[in-house]
Amino acid sequence: MEITVIHLIILGVITGLTKGAGLLPEGPLNAAVGGTVMFTTTLTPAEKPFITAAWKFGDRNIITSNVGNITGPEYEGRITYFTSTASLELRNLTLNDSGEYRVTITPQGEAQKHGNISLSVHVPVSNVTVNASGTDLVEFSSSVHLSCSSSGSSLSFLWLNGSSEVAASDRVQLTDGGSTLTIVNVTRYDQGPFRCRVFNPFSNGTSDPVNLTISYGPENIYFTISPTQESFEEGSNTSLSCSAVSRPSALFNWFLNGDLQSDTGPELTLINIQMSHSGNYSCQAFNKKTMRYQTSQPSVVSVLERISGASVKSSTNMPIEGSSVNLTCDAAGAVFTRKWVKDGSNLTLTENMILHDNNRVLSFISLNKKDSGEYSCKISNPINTEEATYTVVVNYGPENVQITGPNEIHIEQTLTLTCSAESTPSASYTWTLNGAELQNSAIFTKNITELSDSGNYICEAMNNVTGRTSSSVVHQLSVTAVKTSPCSAGCIAGLVIACLVICGAGFGGGYYIYKKRINNKPQAHDTEREEHMYENTSEVYENI
């Protein structure tokens, strides 16, 4: 549009150059058919009439003013002449009035003046319409021709897409003076609205909008699973959705492991899903206008059976130290992982343990007593987790057999000997003396009555589960006839000294009384008493 206006300006400047450029304004003048134009000179109103003034259109006289005004026959009733400035008004214009107008003026006392100017008479712009070769198009495949027509003269054309001016490019062509717009391999952005604006120097007009329907896609296909999770429990529900950028809206088909399903539409709902519903799902979008389609990447729907009935079973109910045992962890349902725990802590494998069959079996190559404990197996899948527990009791022994009890005892005392051993389950015990079986118990008791009860008391331990018998343990016992003082040597010495002191005091007191009585009684009687006192003292010492 800017180029067209510049051309018109340049044309007007060239046309408007006159010898009397100062007498008339620069042209050209523009007017409409049936309208009016005013040719106004630059002169100030004269006090005295001009000697002569004449207007001509080409070789045709319009008006000559001398003594009187003479009007050309073609202009009778169409002009008004202003004598004070020699200006001219021309009415009821036709296309034939377009051309160059000249004026010659001879003021009184001045030299003659000349001027000329061009007039362009235009038919006003009207009835602007646009015709399209087609409006239902396919992106990248279709082309379209838009033709603009209008009533009027000296017409120029401008195309608009929305509010933006359409410019020529590799895909866009403007021909027939700009009245025809051709778009090759249309895109979705060429849908319009397109308008044609027509103008001439006097008027302009714009067509009604034309919209193109451009089909495109499908593209940018998007597939989602709701709820969003890796696996679904058997019997649950899930929904699969598919979308794509497409005009018109795409049609959708569904595939399971590459096989076309009977379900159609942008959403596929799976109710009470079973194991048979597991697989790779994909959706395909199809545009019936463009005849194009796009398929999504497959997404996995994994249907799992809930874990139930978890258990840990042993290959034997009576594990014995040194033997091999298998603990097997099993459950119904879809098992993904198994994790072993011992006594509440994650199981640390020792040299005699092996996990195999995807951690299903825990094998003990050679049991030892430290392997006893509570073993738990946690079985998991993305749906749920179950745990089963088994208590391992390693049967072992007997070992480390010991006898506790006295090594010396007196006749008429009770003998108690205790036999113990490390054993699971608890061991049974047998006592023998000099080859004769005495008793079957951990504690052996006997009232000692004879010196012959002395000897080697033997204890033998046996584990009824392991079937093992310990080595015999010997306990030597000595039986004595004299009952020894329970008092210690120091205690005995103290008692002897105390008795001697008491006896000495008694003897001294008795002797004092005896001497006193001798002095008061006959001698024969006193001698008898003294002998009796010594007899008593001798008995005391014997008892001591």
Side-chain angles (χ1 to χ4, degrees), residues 311-540:
S311 66
V312 176
K313 296 181 180 179
S314 174
S315 58
T316 177
N317 293 328
M318 290 291 181
I320 298 173
E321 185 179 30
S323 64
S324 61
V325 174
N326 291 332
L327 297 183
T328 302
C329 176
D330 272 324
V335 176
F336 275 36
T337 61
R338 291 179 176 89
K339 182 179 180 182
W340 288 88
V341 173
K342 180 185 179 184
D343 297 330
S345 300
N346 291 337
L347 177 65
T348 300
L349 295 179
T350 58
E351 293 180 354
N352 68 325
M353 296 181 188
I354 298 175
L355 274 174
H356 54 97
D357 195 7
N358 292 323
N359 291 350
R360 176 174 170 267
V361 179
L362 173 60
S363 295
F364 297 86
I365 299 172
S366 178
L367 282 171
N368 61 63
K369 65 185 73 175
K370 294 181 180 179
D371 294 326
S372 293
E374 184 179 79
Y375 290 81
S376 297
C377 177
K378 295 182 179 179
I379 307 174
S380 302
N381 67 21
I383 302 301
N384 72 317
T385 298
E386 275 208 1
E387 183 174 0
T389 300
Y390 185 86
T391 300
V392 174
V393 177
V394 179
N395 298 287
Y396 67 93
E399 57 190 47
N400 297 328
V401 181
Q402 295 180 356
I403 298 175
T404 59
N407 294 102
E408 185 177 339
I409 197 167
H410 301 292
I411 293 176
E412 297 181 357
Q413 286 186 326
T414 299
L415 173 65
T416 300
L417 298 176
T418 302
C419 189
S420 64
E422 295 178 9
S423 178
T424 297
S426 297
S428 59
Y429 302 92
T430 301
W431 292 92
T432 59
L433 175 62
N434 300 326
E437 185 173 321
L438 300 176
Q439 189 175 327
N440 292 316
S441 64
I443 300 175
F444 172 75
T445 59
K446 181 181 180 181
N447 293 323
I448 301 301
T449 59
E450 300 175 358
L451 292 175
S452 61
D453 289 331
S454 297
N456 293 324
Y457 286 79
I458 298 173
C459 175
E460 187 178 71
M462 180 176 180
N463 186 322
N464 294 328
V465 173
T466 65
R468 299 169 186 168
T469 302
S470 69
S471 299
S472 299
V473 178
V474 179
H475 184 83
Q476 190 173 19
L477 179 69
S478 176
V479 178
T480 60
V482 179
K483 182 178 179 181
T484 60
S485 173
C487 197
S488 64
C491 175
I492 294 172
L495 289 174
V496 170
I497 292 171
C499 289
L500 290 174
V501 171
I502 293 171
C503 291
F507 178 78
Y511 181 75
Y512 170 75
I513 294 170
Y514 168 73
K515 290 295 287 183
K516 186 175 182 181
R517 287 182 177 178
I518 283 183
N519 293 328
N520 296 325
K521 294 183 180 180
Q523 186 173 5
H525 185 261
D526 291 339
T527 301
E528 183 179 358
R529 287 177 179 264
E530 184 177 1
E531 290 175 355
H532 180 70
M533 182 185 70
Y534 274 102
E535 290 176 359
N536 291 337
T537 302
S538 298
E539 290 178 2
V540 171

Side-chain angles (χ1 to χ4, degrees), residues 12-321:
V13 170
I14 294 173
T15 306
L17 292 177
T18 65
K19 291 180 290 185
L23 184 59
L24 292 172
E26 294 183 358
L29 297 177
N30 294 293
V33 173
T36 300
V37 65
M38 184 72 181
F39 299 100
T40 303
T41 65
T42 60
L43 300 176
T44 57
E47 295 180 0
K48 297 179 180 180
F50 298 118
I51 296 174
T52 59
W55 280 92
K56 286 188 175 183
F57 174 61
D59 296 333
R60 191 183 305 166
N61 289 322
I62 299 174
I63 185 170
T64 301
S65 174
N66 191 350
V67 178
N69 293 331
I70 301 172
T71 302
E74 296 91 345
Y75 296 97
E76 289 289 343
R78 295 180 59 207
I79 65 169
T80 298
Y81 175 70
F82 299 91
T83 58
S84 62
T85 59
S87 298
L88 178 69
E89 180 185 73
L90 178 60
R91 300 181 292 277
N92 298 325
L93 295 172
T94 67
L95 291 175
N96 293 329
D97 291 325
S98 295
E100 186 174 287
Y101 290 79
R102 300 191 306 276
V103 62
T104 302
I105 301 172
T106 306
Q108 292 190 13
E110 295 183 26
Q112 193 177 59
K113 297 179 181 292
H114 302 275
N116 61 359
I117 191 170
S118 294
L119 171 64
S120 294
V121 179
H122 306 280
V123 177
V125 174
S126 62
N127 300 323
V128 180
T129 58
V130 173
N131 292 314
S133 60
T135 57
D136 193 0
L137 309 173
V138 175
E139 187 177 40
F140 307 133
S141 298
S142 302
S143 298
V144 64
H145 302 281
L146 300 175
S147 299
C148 182
S149 61
S150 173
S151 299
S153 60
S154 303
L155 301 179
S156 297
F157 299 88
L158 176 70
W159 289 93
L160 299 174
N161 182 356
S163 60
S164 302
E165 180 179 346
V166 177
S169 67
D170 293 341
R171 289 192 313 108
V172 178
Q173 302 168 4
L174 295 171
T175 56
D176 299 331
S179 63
T180 300
L181 169 64
T182 301
I183 304 175
V184 180
N185 296 331
V186 295
T187 71
R188 68 196 69 181
Y189 308 106
D190 296 328
Q191 62 186 4
F194 287 94
R195 292 181 177 87
C196 176
R197 180 172 294 172
V198 182
F199 56 92
N200 59 24
F202 179 74
S203 63
N204 63 76
T206 303
S207 70
D208 291 334
V210 173
N211 288 289
L212 304 179
T213 301
I214 300 176
S215 299
Y216 55 84
E219 59 190 43
N220 299 331
I221 194 165
Y222 185 63
F223 177 30
T224 59
I225 301 176
S226 179
T228 304
Q229 58 193 57
E230 293 181 358
S231 304
F232 297 87
E233 183 178 354
E234 193 174 31
S236 64
N237 302 329
T238 184
S239 179
L240 285 64
S241 298
C242 196
S243 63
V245 176
S246 178
R247 181 175 181 179
S249 297
L251 304 175
F252 294 94
N253 291 314
W254 292 92
F255 295 83
L256 172 58
N257 297 326
D259 297 328
L260 179 64
Q261 304 296 292
S262 59
D263 302 273
T264 59
E267 186 167 314
L268 175 61
T269 301
L270 303 178
I271 300 175
N272 189 26
I273 54 178
Q274 301 300 312
M275 301 292 290
S276 58
H277 289 108
S278 295
N280 293 317
Y281 284 81
S282 59
C283 65
Q284 185 184 82
F286 175 72
N287 186 322
K288 62 182 180 181
K289 281 285 188 179
T290 65
M291 301 303 291
R292 299 168 187 156
Y293 63 87
Q294 188 177 48
T295 304
S296 71
Q297 290 295 320
S299 294
V300 177
V301 173
S302 178
V303 182
L304 301 178
E305 182 183 354
R306 190 177 185 85
I307 294 174
S308 61
S311 66
V312 176
K313 296 181 180 179
S314 174
S315 58
T316 177
N317 293 328
M318 290 291 181
I320 298 173
E321 185 179 30

